[in-house]
Amino acid sequence: MPRRFEQESADLANVEWLGFKENIADYIAGLDAFAFPSRNEGLGSVLLDVMQLEVPIIASQVGGIPDIIEHEKTGLLFPSGDADALADGLLRLKAEPDLRRRLCRQASERLEDYSPRTMAAAYMRLYRKLLDPQYQETSR
């Protein structure tokens, strides 16, 4: 971690630099919100962990993030690099407890889409379709 950030935040009572933690879920579970301001991202699988811990998410709308987070349904999305939109979203999450609860509930319900069983079934359907163009999906 660059020492510059530690120096800049030295007089802030609400900032701590903890370093690497093995038990990160313990920390995530204690958050009021999870901000994920990536400029580029493949999948952002940490978001699945955050969803499971029922912490509301605000994330940038890049890469695979919108595949996991659906704006206003399972979290809030904002344009990458738009610090004002991120700040507005965080303030909104703070001010609207019903929104936080709804986003967490719907995100938790969506987790089944990413379970190992569901993902394996999706890959099997894809493989069958690639190997046999005549393959017709009969059930999900």
Side-chain angles (χ1 to χ4, degrees), residues 76-123:
L76 299 179
L77 293 173
F78 66 95
S80 178
D82 189 339
D84 290 334
L86 170 58
D88 290 344
L90 286 169
L91 290 172
R92 185 173 171 213
L93 287 173
K94 180 181 180 189
E96 299 180 34
D98 289 340
L99 173 66
R100 289 193 310 269
R101 283 190 288 275
R102 180 176 55 81
L103 294 175
C104 288
R105 184 185 72 252
Q106 292 175 166
S108 182
E109 292 168 359
R110 178 97 193 273
L111 279 175
E112 179 57 31
D113 294 346
Y114 297 95
S115 73
R117 178 183 304 266
T118 301
M119 295 300 292
Y123 280 118

mmCIF file of all heavy atoms in Angstrom, residues 76-123:
data_model
loop_
_atom_site.group_PDB
_atom_site.id
_atom_site.type_symbol
_atom_site.label_atom_id
_atom_site.label_comp_id
_atom_site.label_asym_id
_atom_site.label_seq_id
_atom_site.Cartn_x
_atom_site.Cartn_y
_atom_site.Cartn_z
ATOM 1 N N LEU A 76 -26.603 -1.206 -7.158
ATOM 2 C CA LEU A 76 -26.610 0.031 -7.926
ATOM 3 C C LEU A 76 -25.383 0.034 -8.825
ATOM 4 O O LEU A 76 -24.309 -0.410 -8.419
ATOM 5 C CB LEU A 76 -26.574 1.252 -7.005
ATOM 6 C CG LEU A 76 -27.740 1.410 -6.029
ATOM 7 C CD1 LEU A 76 -27.536 2.659 -5.161
ATOM 8 C CD2 LEU A 76 -29.065 1.475 -6.760
ATOM 9 N N LEU A 77 -25.542 0.529 -10.041
ATOM 10 C CA LEU A 77 -24.439 0.665 -10.982
ATOM 11 C C LEU A 77 -24.235 2.140 -11.304
ATOM 12 O O LEU A 77 -25.189 2.921 -11.289
ATOM 13 C CB LEU A 77 -24.730 -0.106 -12.274
ATOM 14 C CG LEU A 77 -24.790 -1.623 -12.162
ATOM 15 C CD1 LEU A 77 -25.263 -2.230 -13.480
ATOM 16 C CD2 LEU A 77 -23.439 -2.195 -11.767
ATOM 17 N N PHE A 78 -22.987 2.485 -11.577
ATOM 18 C CA PHE A 78 -22.676 3.853 -11.991
ATOM 19 C C PHE A 78 -21.600 3.799 -13.070
ATOM 20 O O PHE A 78 -20.854 2.820 -13.158
ATOM 21 C CB PHE A 78 -22.223 4.700 -10.793
ATOM 22 C CG PHE A 78 -20.920 4.252 -10.200
ATOM 23 C CD1 PHE A 78 -19.729 4.837 -10.588
ATOM 24 C CD2 PHE A 78 -20.878 3.234 -9.261
ATOM 25 C CE1 PHE A 78 -18.526 4.416 -10.056
ATOM 26 C CE2 PHE A 78 -19.684 2.809 -8.715
ATOM 27 C CZ PHE A 78 -18.502 3.404 -9.119
ATOM 28 N N PRO A 79 -21.513 4.833 -13.903
ATOM 29 C CA PRO A 79 -20.505 4.847 -14.965
ATOM 30 C C PRO A 79 -19.083 4.859 -14.383
ATOM 31 O O PRO A 79 -18.812 5.597 -13.422
ATOM 32 C CB PRO A 79 -20.780 6.145 -15.731
ATOM 33 C CG PRO A 79 -22.183 6.523 -15.367
ATOM 34 C CD PRO A 79 -22.403 5.999 -13.980
ATOM 35 N N SER A 80 -18.212 4.063 -14.957
ATOM 36 C CA SER A 80 -16.824 3.997 -14.499
ATOM 37 C C SER A 80 -16.192 5.387 -14.514
ATOM 38 O O SER A 80 -16.344 6.134 -15.472
ATOM 39 C CB SER A 80 -16.036 3.053 -15.400
ATOM 40 O OG SER A 80 -14.690 3.022 -15.003
ATOM 41 N N GLY A 81 -15.506 5.696 -13.436
ATOM 42 C CA GLY A 81 -14.806 6.973 -13.343
ATOM 43 C C GLY A 81 -15.660 8.139 -12.895
ATOM 44 O O GLY A 81 -15.149 9.244 -12.722
ATOM 45 N N ASP A 82 -16.939 7.922 -12.675
ATOM 46 C CA ASP A 82 -17.842 9.002 -12.284
ATOM 47 C C ASP A 82 -17.950 9.044 -10.754
ATOM 48 O O ASP A 82 -18.832 8.437 -10.152
ATOM 49 C CB ASP A 82 -19.217 8.792 -12.910
ATOM 50 C CG ASP A 82 -20.146 9.979 -12.731
ATOM 51 O OD1 ASP A 82 -19.909 10.800 -11.818
ATOM 52 O OD2 ASP A 82 -21.122 10.073 -13.499
ATOM 53 N N ALA A 83 -17.027 9.774 -10.135
ATOM 54 C CA ALA A 83 -16.966 9.844 -8.676
ATOM 55 C C ALA A 83 -18.234 10.459 -8.084
ATOM 56 O O ALA A 83 -18.669 10.061 -6.991
ATOM 57 C CB ALA A 83 -15.738 10.635 -8.231
ATOM 58 N N ASP A 84 -18.833 11.411 -8.771
ATOM 59 C CA ASP A 84 -20.068 12.026 -8.267
ATOM 60 C C ASP A 84 -21.200 11.010 -8.218
ATOM 61 O O ASP A 84 -21.966 10.966 -7.257
ATOM 62 C CB ASP A 84 -20.470 13.227 -9.128
ATOM 63 C CG ASP A 84 -19.525 14.404 -8.973
ATOM 64 O OD1 ASP A 84 -18.875 14.514 -7.904
ATOM 65 O OD2 ASP A 84 -19.430 15.206 -9.916
ATOM 66 N N ALA A 85 -21.307 10.183 -9.259
ATOM 67 C CA ALA A 85 -22.359 9.164 -9.279
ATOM 68 C C ALA A 85 -22.121 8.133 -8.182
ATOM 69 O O ALA A 85 -23.073 7.662 -7.541
ATOM 70 C CB ALA A 85 -22.423 8.489 -10.648
ATOM 71 N N LEU A 86 -20.869 7.778 -7.937
ATOM 72 C CA LEU A 86 -20.541 6.854 -6.846
ATOM 73 C C LEU A 86 -20.948 7.471 -5.510
ATOM 74 O O LEU A 86 -21.615 6.819 -4.700
ATOM 75 C CB LEU A 86 -19.048 6.519 -6.853
ATOM 76 C CG LEU A 86 -18.514 5.747 -5.639
ATOM 77 C CD1 LEU A 86 -19.231 4.427 -5.440
ATOM 78 C CD2 LEU A 86 -17.005 5.536 -5.776
ATOM 79 N N ALA A 87 -20.576 8.719 -5.286
ATOM 80 C CA ALA A 87 -20.928 9.396 -4.037
ATOM 81 C C ALA A 87 -22.440 9.493 -3.871
ATOM 82 O O ALA A 87 -22.972 9.230 -2.785
ATOM 83 C CB ALA A 87 -20.293 10.787 -4.001
ATOM 84 N N ASP A 88 -23.140 9.847 -4.951
ATOM 85 C CA ASP A 88 -24.608 9.940 -4.890
ATOM 86 C C ASP A 88 -25.224 8.592 -4.537
ATOM 87 O O ASP A 88 -26.156 8.515 -3.741
ATOM 88 C CB ASP A 88 -25.183 10.434 -6.218
ATOM 89 C CG ASP A 88 -24.861 11.892 -6.494
ATOM 90 O OD1 ASP A 88 -24.460 12.619 -5.563
ATOM 91 O OD2 ASP A 88 -25.001 12.306 -7.670
ATOM 92 N N GLY A 89 -24.704 7.521 -5.139
ATOM 93 C CA GLY A 89 -25.215 6.187 -4.845
ATOM 94 C C GLY A 89 -24.977 5.780 -3.405
ATOM 95 O O GLY A 89 -25.853 5.195 -2.754
ATOM 96 N N LEU A 90 -23.794 6.081 -2.882
ATOM 97 C CA LEU A 90 -23.499 5.764 -1.477
ATOM 98 C C LEU A 90 -24.417 6.536 -0.537
ATOM 99 O O LEU A 90 -24.934 5.977 0.440
ATOM 100 C CB LEU A 90 -22.032 6.058 -1.167
ATOM 101 C CG LEU A 90 -21.030 5.059 -1.732
ATOM 102 C CD1 LEU A 90 -19.605 5.592 -1.608
ATOM 103 C CD2 LEU A 90 -21.171 3.707 -1.035
ATOM 104 N N LEU A 91 -24.633 7.818 -0.847
ATOM 105 C CA LEU A 91 -25.537 8.621 -0.021
ATOM 106 C C LEU A 91 -26.967 8.085 -0.097
ATOM 107 O O LEU A 91 -27.691 8.071 0.909
ATOM 108 C CB LEU A 91 -25.481 10.086 -0.445
ATOM 109 C CG LEU A 91 -24.178 10.809 -0.110
ATOM 110 C CD1 LEU A 91 -24.145 12.192 -0.749
ATOM 111 C CD2 LEU A 91 -23.968 10.885 1.399
ATOM 112 N N ARG A 92 -27.347 7.640 -1.259
ATOM 113 C CA ARG A 92 -28.686 7.062 -1.426
ATOM 114 C C ARG A 92 -28.829 5.790 -0.598
ATOM 115 O O ARG A 92 -29.847 5.583 0.073
ATOM 116 C CB ARG A 92 -28.935 6.782 -2.901
ATOM 117 C CG ARG A 92 -30.316 6.298 -3.172
ATOM 118 C CD ARG A 92 -30.597 6.194 -4.654
ATOM 119 N NE ARG A 92 -31.869 5.528 -4.823
ATOM 120 C CZ ARG A 92 -32.168 4.737 -5.834
ATOM 121 N NH1 ARG A 92 -31.286 4.533 -6.788
ATOM 122 N NH2 ARG A 92 -33.332 4.157 -5.900
ATOM 123 N N LEU A 93 -27.813 4.924 -0.632
ATOM 124 C CA LEU A 93 -27.863 3.701 0.173
ATOM 125 C C LEU A 93 -27.943 4.029 1.655
ATOM 126 O O LEU A 93 -28.645 3.359 2.414
ATOM 127 C CB LEU A 93 -26.645 2.817 -0.113
ATOM 128 C CG LEU A 93 -26.637 2.104 -1.452
ATOM 129 C CD1 LEU A 93 -25.303 1.407 -1.680
ATOM 130 C CD2 LEU A 93 -27.790 1.106 -1.558
ATOM 131 N N LYS A 94 -27.241 5.067 2.067
ATOM 132 C CA LYS A 94 -27.280 5.478 3.470
ATOM 133 C C LYS A 94 -28.664 5.989 3.850
ATOM 134 O O LYS A 94 -29.177 5.671 4.926
ATOM 135 C CB LYS A 94 -26.238 6.564 3.727
ATOM 136 C CG LYS A 94 -26.219 7.037 5.160
ATOM 137 C CD LYS A 94 -25.202 8.125 5.376
ATOM 138 C CE LYS A 94 -25.239 8.564 6.829
ATOM 139 N NZ LYS A 94 -24.428 9.748 7.066
ATOM 140 N N ALA A 95 -29.280 6.745 2.969
ATOM 141 C CA ALA A 95 -30.556 7.401 3.276
ATOM 142 C C ALA A 95 -31.776 6.502 3.115
ATOM 143 O O ALA A 95 -32.840 6.812 3.651
ATOM 144 C CB ALA A 95 -30.716 8.639 2.388
ATOM 145 N N GLU A 96 -31.652 5.403 2.378
ATOM 146 C CA GLU A 96 -32.821 4.584 2.049
ATOM 147 C C GLU A 96 -32.678 3.142 2.557
ATOM 148 O O GLU A 96 -32.289 2.245 1.800
ATOM 149 C CB GLU A 96 -33.058 4.581 0.538
ATOM 150 C CG GLU A 96 -33.334 5.960 -0.039
ATOM 151 C CD GLU A 96 -33.572 5.931 -1.539
ATOM 152 O OE1 GLU A 96 -34.147 4.938 -2.047
ATOM 153 O OE2 GLU A 96 -33.167 6.899 -2.205
ATOM 154 N N PRO A 97 -33.027 2.913 3.817
ATOM 155 C CA PRO A 97 -32.900 1.550 4.362
ATOM 156 C C PRO A 97 -33.759 0.526 3.630
ATOM 157 O O PRO A 97 -33.349 -0.632 3.493
ATOM 158 C CB PRO A 97 -33.319 1.688 5.823
ATOM 159 C CG PRO A 97 -33.970 3.015 5.944
ATOM 160 C CD PRO A 97 -33.502 3.862 4.811
ATOM 161 N N ASP A 98 -34.928 0.930 3.136
ATOM 162 C CA ASP A 98 -35.761 -0.019 2.381
ATOM 163 C C ASP A 98 -35.070 -0.448 1.089
ATOM 164 O O ASP A 98 -35.157 -1.610 0.694
ATOM 165 C CB ASP A 98 -37.131 0.589 2.058
ATOM 166 C CG ASP A 98 -38.012 0.719 3.290
ATOM 167 O OD1 ASP A 98 -37.746 0.010 4.284
ATOM 168 O OD2 ASP A 98 -38.963 1.521 3.260
ATOM 169 N N LEU A 99 -34.394 0.480 0.434
ATOM 170 C CA LEU A 99 -33.642 0.152 -0.776
ATOM 171 C C LEU A 99 -32.529 -0.843 -0.445
ATOM 172 O O LEU A 99 -32.360 -1.835 -1.149
ATOM 173 C CB LEU A 99 -33.046 1.419 -1.397
ATOM 174 C CG LEU A 99 -32.085 1.199 -2.571
ATOM 175 C CD1 LEU A 99 -32.816 0.600 -3.771
ATOM 176 C CD2 LEU A 99 -31.401 2.514 -2.940
ATOM 177 N N ARG A 100 -31.783 -0.575 0.628
ATOM 178 C CA ARG A 100 -30.709 -1.500 1.025
ATOM 179 C C ARG A 100 -31.257 -2.904 1.249
ATOM 180 O O ARG A 100 -30.694 -3.875 0.742
ATOM 181 C CB ARG A 100 -30.023 -1.019 2.307
ATOM 182 C CG ARG A 100 -29.177 0.213 2.143
ATOM 183 C CD ARG A 100 -28.286 0.448 3.347
ATOM 184 N NE ARG A 100 -28.972 0.410 4.622
ATOM 185 C CZ ARG A 100 -29.513 1.459 5.230
ATOM 186 N NH1 ARG A 100 -29.475 2.650 4.652
ATOM 187 N NH2 ARG A 100 -30.094 1.328 6.403
ATOM 188 N N ARG A 101 -32.342 -3.018 1.987
ATOM 189 C CA ARG A 101 -32.923 -4.337 2.277
ATOM 190 C C ARG A 101 -33.403 -5.023 0.997
ATOM 191 O O ARG A 101 -33.173 -6.213 0.797
ATOM 192 C CB ARG A 101 -34.078 -4.193 3.272
ATOM 193 C CG ARG A 101 -33.611 -3.980 4.699
ATOM 194 C CD ARG A 101 -34.763 -4.084 5.683
ATOM 195 N NE ARG A 101 -35.669 -2.949 5.607
ATOM 196 C CZ ARG A 101 -35.491 -1.796 6.246
ATOM 197 N NH1 ARG A 101 -34.439 -1.617 7.010
ATOM 198 N NH2 ARG A 101 -36.366 -0.824 6.129
ATOM 199 N N ARG A 102 -34.056 -4.272 0.117
ATOM 200 C CA ARG A 102 -34.567 -4.851 -1.131
ATOM 201 C C ARG A 102 -33.426 -5.334 -2.016
ATOM 202 O O ARG A 102 -33.466 -6.445 -2.549
ATOM 203 C CB ARG A 102 -35.428 -3.829 -1.871
ATOM 204 C CG ARG A 102 -35.998 -4.360 -3.188
ATOM 205 C CD ARG A 102 -36.927 -3.362 -3.860
ATOM 206 N NE ARG A 102 -36.366 -2.058 -4.099
ATOM 207 C CZ ARG A 102 -35.571 -1.744 -5.132
ATOM 208 N NH1 ARG A 102 -35.241 -2.659 -6.012
ATOM 209 N NH2 ARG A 102 -35.122 -0.520 -5.281
ATOM 210 N N LEU A 103 -32.387 -4.518 -2.164
ATOM 211 C CA LEU A 103 -31.243 -4.912 -2.985
ATOM 212 C C LEU A 103 -30.576 -6.169 -2.430
ATOM 213 O O LEU A 103 -30.233 -7.081 -3.180
ATOM 214 C CB LEU A 103 -30.221 -3.775 -3.082
ATOM 215 C CG LEU A 103 -30.663 -2.511 -3.816
ATOM 216 C CD1 LEU A 103 -29.578 -1.445 -3.714
ATOM 217 C CD2 LEU A 103 -31.010 -2.793 -5.263
ATOM 218 N N CYS A 104 -30.423 -6.226 -1.120
ATOM 219 C CA CYS A 104 -29.787 -7.397 -0.500
ATOM 220 C C CYS A 104 -30.641 -8.645 -0.682
ATOM 221 O O CYS A 104 -30.121 -9.720 -0.993
ATOM 222 C CB CYS A 104 -29.532 -7.148 0.989
ATOM 223 S SG CYS A 104 -28.202 -5.974 1.298
ATOM 224 N N ARG A 105 -31.938 -8.516 -0.492
ATOM 225 C CA ARG A 105 -32.835 -9.668 -0.642
ATOM 226 C C ARG A 105 -32.800 -10.199 -2.081
ATOM 227 O O ARG A 105 -32.634 -11.390 -2.318
ATOM 228 C CB ARG A 105 -34.268 -9.289 -0.255
ATOM 229 C CG ARG A 105 -35.244 -10.471 -0.302
ATOM 230 C CD ARG A 105 -36.684 -10.076 -0.039
ATOM 231 N NE ARG A 105 -37.236 -9.349 -1.182
ATOM 232 C CZ ARG A 105 -37.501 -8.048 -1.219
ATOM 233 N NH1 ARG A 105 -37.293 -7.289 -0.161
ATOM 234 N NH2 ARG A 105 -37.999 -7.480 -2.300
ATOM 235 N N GLN A 106 -32.919 -9.290 -3.032
ATOM 236 C CA GLN A 106 -32.930 -9.707 -4.433
ATOM 237 C C GLN A 106 -31.566 -10.232 -4.875
ATOM 238 O O GLN A 106 -31.490 -11.175 -5.666
ATOM 239 C CB GLN A 106 -33.406 -8.554 -5.328
ATOM 240 C CG GLN A 106 -34.863 -8.243 -5.093
ATOM 241 C CD GLN A 106 -35.398 -7.046 -5.853
ATOM 242 O OE1 GLN A 106 -36.583 -6.872 -5.923
ATOM 243 N NE2 GLN A 106 -34.552 -6.210 -6.422
ATOM 244 N N ALA A 107 -30.498 -9.664 -4.346
ATOM 245 C CA ALA A 107 -29.157 -10.164 -4.672
ATOM 246 C C ALA A 107 -28.971 -11.568 -4.111
ATOM 247 O O ALA A 107 -28.433 -12.446 -4.789
ATOM 248 C CB ALA A 107 -28.093 -9.220 -4.116
ATOM 249 N N SER A 108 -29.446 -11.782 -2.906
ATOM 250 C CA SER A 108 -29.344 -13.103 -2.289
ATOM 251 C C SER A 108 -30.107 -14.144 -3.105
ATOM 252 O O SER A 108 -29.622 -15.263 -3.313
ATOM 253 C CB SER A 108 -29.874 -13.037 -0.855
ATOM 254 O OG SER A 108 -29.743 -14.267 -0.228
ATOM 255 N N GLU A 109 -31.285 -13.774 -3.586
ATOM 256 C CA GLU A 109 -32.089 -14.678 -4.415
ATOM 257 C C GLU A 109 -31.379 -14.990 -5.733
ATOM 258 O O GLU A 109 -31.509 -16.079 -6.270
ATOM 259 C CB GLU A 109 -33.462 -14.065 -4.693
ATOM 260 C CG GLU A 109 -34.332 -13.971 -3.452
ATOM 261 C CD GLU A 109 -35.576 -13.103 -3.648
ATOM 262 O OE1 GLU A 109 -35.755 -12.544 -4.756
ATOM 263 O OE2 GLU A 109 -36.340 -12.966 -2.681
ATOM 264 N N ARG A 110 -30.624 -14.064 -6.238
ATOM 265 C CA ARG A 110 -29.926 -14.222 -7.525
ATOM 266 C C ARG A 110 -28.701 -15.126 -7.425
ATOM 267 O O ARG A 110 -28.205 -15.637 -8.425
ATOM 268 C CB ARG A 110 -29.520 -12.839 -8.029
ATOM 269 C CG ARG A 110 -28.745 -12.810 -9.309
ATOM 270 C CD ARG A 110 -29.658 -12.536 -10.484
ATOM 271 N NE ARG A 110 -29.006 -12.790 -11.730
ATOM 272 C CZ ARG A 110 -28.260 -11.921 -12.391
ATOM 273 N NH1 ARG A 110 -28.070 -10.717 -11.924
ATOM 274 N NH2 ARG A 110 -27.710 -12.265 -13.536
ATOM 275 N N LEU A 111 -28.220 -15.354 -6.212
ATOM 276 C CA LEU A 111 -27.012 -16.158 -6.029
ATOM 277 C C LEU A 111 -27.128 -17.560 -6.608
ATOM 278 O O LEU A 111 -26.137 -18.136 -7.057
ATOM 279 C CB LEU A 111 -26.654 -16.252 -4.543
ATOM 280 C CG LEU A 111 -25.920 -15.056 -3.970
ATOM 281 C CD1 LEU A 111 -25.749 -15.221 -2.474
ATOM 282 C CD2 LEU A 111 -24.587 -14.859 -4.653
ATOM 283 N N GLU A 112 -28.324 -18.122 -6.623
ATOM 284 C CA GLU A 112 -28.508 -19.470 -7.168
ATOM 285 C C GLU A 112 -28.065 -19.537 -8.627
ATOM 286 O O GLU A 112 -27.589 -20.567 -9.086
ATOM 287 C CB GLU A 112 -29.962 -19.916 -7.023
ATOM 288 C CG GLU A 112 -30.252 -21.289 -7.575
ATOM 289 C CD GLU A 112 -29.394 -22.408 -6.972
ATOM 290 O OE1 GLU A 112 -29.013 -22.305 -5.797
ATOM 291 O OE2 GLU A 112 -29.115 -23.380 -7.699
ATOM 292 N N ASP A 113 -28.155 -18.409 -9.338
ATOM 293 C CA ASP A 113 -27.712 -18.372 -10.735
ATOM 294 C C ASP A 113 -26.209 -18.644 -10.867
ATOM 295 O O ASP A 113 -25.739 -18.988 -11.948
ATOM 296 C CB ASP A 113 -28.007 -17.005 -11.367
ATOM 297 C CG ASP A 113 -29.492 -16.733 -11.502
ATOM 298 O OD1 ASP A 113 -30.294 -17.672 -11.356
ATOM 299 O OD2 ASP A 113 -29.846 -15.566 -11.752
ATOM 300 N N TYR A 114 -25.481 -18.470 -9.780
ATOM 301 C CA TYR A 114 -24.031 -18.628 -9.801
ATOM 302 C C TYR A 114 -23.551 -19.808 -8.955
ATOM 303 O O TYR A 114 -22.356 -19.941 -8.708
ATOM 304 C CB TYR A 114 -23.354 -17.331 -9.336
ATOM 305 C CG TYR A 114 -23.656 -16.200 -10.277
ATOM 306 C CD1 TYR A 114 -24.707 -15.328 -10.025
ATOM 307 C CD2 TYR A 114 -22.927 -16.037 -11.445
ATOM 308 C CE1 TYR A 114 -25.003 -14.307 -10.921
ATOM 309 C CE2 TYR A 114 -23.219 -15.024 -12.330
ATOM 310 C CZ TYR A 114 -24.266 -14.160 -12.059
ATOM 311 O OH TYR A 114 -24.559 -13.161 -12.944
ATOM 312 N N SER A 115 -24.463 -20.667 -8.544
ATOM 313 C CA SER A 115 -24.058 -21.841 -7.763
ATOM 314 C C SER A 115 -23.272 -22.791 -8.666
ATOM 315 O O SER A 115 -23.433 -22.776 -9.898
ATOM 316 C CB SER A 115 -25.288 -22.553 -7.201
ATOM 317 O OG SER A 115 -25.980 -23.238 -8.234
ATOM 318 N N PRO A 116 -22.432 -23.633 -8.093
ATOM 319 C CA PRO A 116 -21.690 -24.593 -8.916
ATOM 320 C C PRO A 116 -22.618 -25.476 -9.760
ATOM 321 O O PRO A 116 -22.327 -25.739 -10.934
ATOM 322 C CB PRO A 116 -20.923 -25.427 -7.880
ATOM 323 C CG PRO A 116 -20.738 -24.496 -6.725
ATOM 324 C CD PRO A 116 -21.999 -23.669 -6.694
ATOM 325 N N ARG A 117 -23.740 -25.898 -9.200
ATOM 326 C CA ARG A 117 -24.682 -26.752 -9.929
ATOM 327 C C ARG A 117 -25.259 -26.013 -11.137
ATOM 328 O O ARG A 117 -25.308 -26.545 -12.243
ATOM 329 C CB ARG A 117 -25.803 -27.216 -9.011
ATOM 330 C CG ARG A 117 -26.853 -28.076 -9.712
ATOM 331 C CD ARG A 117 -27.979 -28.445 -8.765
ATOM 332 N NE ARG A 117 -27.491 -29.121 -7.584
ATOM 333 C CZ ARG A 117 -27.418 -30.453 -7.446
ATOM 334 N NH1 ARG A 117 -27.834 -31.215 -8.418
ATOM 335 N NH2 ARG A 117 -26.956 -30.989 -6.350
ATOM 336 N N THR A 118 -25.685 -24.783 -10.937
ATOM 337 C CA THR A 118 -26.281 -24.002 -12.024
ATOM 338 C C THR A 118 -25.248 -23.690 -13.103
ATOM 339 O O THR A 118 -25.536 -23.796 -14.300
ATOM 340 C CB THR A 118 -26.896 -22.706 -11.470
ATOM 341 O OG1 THR A 118 -27.880 -23.046 -10.497
ATOM 342 C CG2 THR A 118 -27.531 -21.872 -12.559
ATOM 343 N N MET A 119 -24.042 -23.322 -12.684
ATOM 344 C CA MET A 119 -22.993 -23.003 -13.655
ATOM 345 C C MET A 119 -22.596 -24.252 -14.448
ATOM 346 O O MET A 119 -22.408 -24.185 -15.664
ATOM 347 C CB MET A 119 -21.773 -22.405 -12.948
ATOM 348 C CG MET A 119 -22.056 -21.056 -12.294
ATOM 349 S SD MET A 119 -22.607 -19.786 -13.436
ATOM 350 C CE MET A 119 -21.151 -19.523 -14.388
ATOM 351 N N ALA A 120 -22.488 -25.399 -13.776
ATOM 352 C CA ALA A 120 -22.139 -26.642 -14.475
ATOM 353 C C ALA A 120 -23.214 -27.002 -15.502
ATOM 354 O O ALA A 120 -22.893 -27.397 -16.632
ATOM 355 C CB ALA A 120 -21.953 -27.782 -13.473
ATOM 356 N N ALA A 121 -24.479 -26.852 -15.129
ATOM 357 C CA ALA A 121 -25.573 -27.153 -16.057
ATOM 358 C C ALA A 121 -25.531 -26.221 -17.269
ATOM 359 O O ALA A 121 -25.756 -26.651 -18.404
ATOM 360 C CB ALA A 121 -26.922 -27.048 -15.343
ATOM 361 N N ALA A 122 -25.220 -24.962 -17.045
ATOM 362 C CA ALA A 122 -25.138 -24.008 -18.151
ATOM 363 C C ALA A 122 -23.996 -24.378 -19.099
ATOM 364 O O ALA A 122 -24.149 -24.318 -20.330
ATOM 365 C CB ALA A 122 -24.942 -22.594 -17.615
ATOM 366 N N TYR A 123 -22.861 -24.776 -18.537
ATOM 367 C CA TYR A 123 -21.742 -25.201 -19.390
ATOM 368 C C TYR A 123 -22.085 -26.462 -20.162
ATOM 369 O O TYR A 123 -21.735 -26.599 -21.337
ATOM 370 C CB TYR A 123 -20.467 -25.409 -18.569
ATOM 371 C CG TYR A 123 -19.750 -24.118 -18.256
ATOM 372 C CD1 TYR A 123 -19.572 -23.696 -16.943
ATOM 373 C CD2 TYR A 123 -19.251 -23.312 -19.276
ATOM 374 C CE1 TYR A 123 -18.919 -22.510 -16.649
ATOM 375 C CE2 TYR A 123 -18.594 -22.124 -18.995
ATOM 376 C CZ TYR A 123 -18.435 -21.728 -17.681
ATOM 377 O OH TYR A 123 -17.795 -20.556 -17.400
#
